[in-house]
Amino acid sequence: MTSWAVAAITLMLAAAAAPALATESIVCSAEGDAASIDVLMGHTAVIAVARVWLDAGGRNWTTDGQPGSTKVIVGQAFEDNQHVAIDLTDEGISSIVAKLRLVKAKEQSDSAMGGTLSIAGVGAWAVTCPEF
């Protein structure tokens, strides 16, 4: 077996042995679809934002650099039992591009989540996240 084959097998085994990251997608939108945000989060001991897609005013921002979108970076993210707060920055991490602030409510089998989404130079909206 070549050293390349051994290295490939080793990488595959290491990837298979890595713990799985539990994920959830939070999709929030403003009335009339004026703005929306889709956040894929992984949960371990702390919040980990895996991907963000953001649309407003005919413009798109993404953390994964999709063609036709502006690339953003997750500047900070916070989550507890009652709140979610995410700030997205420009690629140079010199200014905040967007802020998402959410409040969670849960009672028995009912739950709701909503808050605000603001994008610098574009606007601010009340958003709801129906599939919380």
Side-chain angles (χ1 to χ4, degrees), residues 1-13:
M1 189 177 299
T2 67
S3 61
W4 179 87
V6 171
I9 291 169
T10 302
L11 283 173
M12 287 188 302
L13 291 172

Side-chain angles (χ1 to χ4, degrees), residues 91-105:
E91 282 192 275
I93 313 174
S94 60
S95 64
I96 295 175
V97 173
K99 295 179 182 181
L100 178 65
R101 301 294 185 262
L102 301 174
V103 175
K104 301 183 216 179

Side-chain angles (χ1 to χ4, degrees), residues 3 5 8 10 12 17 20 25-27 29 34 37 40 43-44 46 49 56 60 71-72 74 88 107-108 113 120 130:
S3 61
T10 302
M12 287 188 302
S25 188
I26 297 175
V27 179
S29 59
I37 187 167
L40 180 64
H43 292 277
T44 56
V46 296
V49 177
N60 303 312
K71 183 157 173 79
V72 290
V74 177
L88 302 172
E107 187 61 41
Q108 296 182 15
M113 184 163 50

